[in-house]
Amino acid sequence: MSLDNTPEQSKLGRASAYADQYDPSLLFPIPRATQREAMGIREGALPFFGADLWTAFELSWLNPRGKPQLAIAHFTVPCETPNIIESKSFKLYLNSFNSSVFVDQDAVRQRLRADLSEAVWRGSGRTGSVGVKLVPPAAFENEKVRELSGLDLDRLDIECSQYQPAPELLASDTTQAPVTETLTSRLLKSNCLVTGQPDWGSVEIRYSGPPIDQAGLLAYIVSFRNHNEFHEPCAERIFTDVWRRCQPNKLAVYARYTRRGGLDINPFRTSWPQALPENVRTARQ
């Protein structure tokens, strides 16, 4: 059974009443398939591995004595889940914990894991699990802030004239010896698919193969500037375009977006199985 949820049916861009008691029905899953099909990605034949790494900075609940508790939450949503969670619904859902009583932090973690896992697999007839880690206030100082690693593409003084995704800008030099390198840019910007609000991000591209033309890659990243799409398919579009146009032997794309409403979404896609990136924030987040 497929899930018949579209972005237009979500709470994005609408006035919303904030629930003051725990309410898992607020979660609004959106199928990944529609946007993947537009990129030529078939369900069941993903060209990548990876996950969407979410961070929630505004999570609170009450202990049995009514005292507010706090935590930063890290969520890991596998990219093979059939659904994403629309971000405003995620925020409303997290807010519903604010006046709800839980025995302890582990009870909160288990509730989050169960609800999110159900939502991202809903309608598929399959089950799986979302990773949930809660960081208590005593460990906040251990949360890392660093820039993405690699050679900074933004150093290049290029002319930019295209502001919708332009994969034709991508090229690699197959006459040269293969290289292994990491290239980064802070100039990734797209817009929310529904509201049109800007989404600001940085992107790290690691690959092995024919050297990619760096000026063309930067112009391609800039070309997302007026594009309307959610974070997750933007990262998948970058991966797919680079994979097809530049033909690397290995490729990993990691996009880190600035937070909105206390949430950030950071998709990671890779052509080979590997450990997920650490939950770190860039200076812009």
Side-chain angles (χ1 to χ4, degrees):
M1 180 180 65
S2 62
L3 185 67
D4 188 23
N5 277 10
T6 64
E8 293 75 18
Q9 294 172 311
S10 76
K11 294 181 180 294
L12 275 172
R14 303 180 187 182
S16 302
Y18 285 81
D20 62 358
Q21 292 294 320
Y22 164 70
D23 185 0
S25 71
L26 292 167
L27 290 170
F28 189 85
I30 297 175
R32 297 183 190 264
T34 302
Q35 290 175 293
R36 283 179 172 172
E37 288 170 0
M39 290 181 261
I41 299 175
R42 292 184 295 108
E43 186 176 358
L46 299 182
F48 42 67
F49 305 92
D52 306 322
L53 308 175
W54 293 64
T55 312
F57 295 92
E58 299 174 6
L59 175 62
S60 182
W61 65 94
L62 303 179
N63 71 9
R65 301 188 67 184
K67 181 181 177 182
Q69 306 293 294
L70 300 172
I72 293 174
H74 294 297
F75 305 99
T76 302
V77 181
C79 70
E80 63 267 22
T81 61
N83 307 315
I84 62 174
I85 299 296
E86 186 274 302
S87 60
K88 184 175 181 180
S89 79
F90 203 157
K91 174 65 175 176
L92 293 171
Y93 164 72
L94 292 177
N95 277 337
S96 79
F97 282 69
N98 291 348
S99 298
S100 299
V101 175
F102 290 87
V103 172
D104 54 24
Q105 178 176 286
D106 191 57
V108 175
R109 185 188 65 81
Q110 292 183 35
R111 191 68 268 155
L112 290 166
R113 182 179 181 183
D115 292 343
L116 294 169
S117 297
E118 186 280 326
V120 297
W121 289 98
R122 187 180 301 167
S124 69
R126 296 175 288 160
T127 59
S129 184
V130 169
V132 180
K133 176 185 176 183
L134 298 189
V135 180
F140 282 1
E141 64 180 0
N142 298 326
E143 292 291 284
K144 297 179 181 179
V145 178
R146 68 163 175 81
E147 290 300 305
L148 295 176
S149 61
L151 183 62
D152 186 8
L153 291 172
D154 302 344
R155 76 189 192 285
L156 301 174
D157 184 18
I158 65 169
E159 182 174 341
C160 300
S161 59
Q162 298 195 58
Y163 302 107
Q164 290 290 343
E168 65 273 13
L169 295 170
L170 296 168
S172 60
D173 189 349
T174 57
T175 67
Q176 299 294 316
V179 299
T180 296
E181 63 181 356
T182 302
L183 306 172
T184 62
S185 173
R186 301 179 186 86
L187 301 184
L188 177 62
K189 175 198 168 287
S190 54
N191 302 314
C192 174
L193 180 63
V194 177
T195 67
Q197 293 185 49
D199 294 321
W200 303 93
S202 300
V203 62
E204 176 183 287
I205 297 172
R206 290 188 288 129
Y207 77 97
S208 295
I212 294 175
D213 176 63
Q214 294 180 13
L217 178 58
L218 178 58
Y220 167 75
I221 292 169
V222 170
S223 75
F224 279 74
R225 195 166 184 84
N226 291 336
H227 181 56
N228 295 334
E229 198 165 48
F230 293 137
H231 299 35
E232 300 91 337
C234 277
E236 293 181 357
R237 187 177 297 277
I238 293 171
F239 179 97
T240 303
D241 287 344
V242 173
W243 185 254
R244 292 171 177 168
R245 290 274 177 167
C246 302
Q247 299 185 337
N249 301 316
K250 289 184 174 182
L251 176 64
V253 173
Y254 184 31
R256 292 205 63 91
Y257 284 88
T258 56
R259 76 180 80 161
R260 180 187 293 169
L263 286 170
D264 63 42
I265 311 170
N266 310 288
F268 175 70
R269 302 292 185 268
T270 173
S271 65
W272 77 100
Q274 59 175 295
L276 294 172
E278 291 183 82
N279 275 310
V280 297
R281 290 175 288 136
T282 66
R284 288 180 63 195
Q285 290 175 292

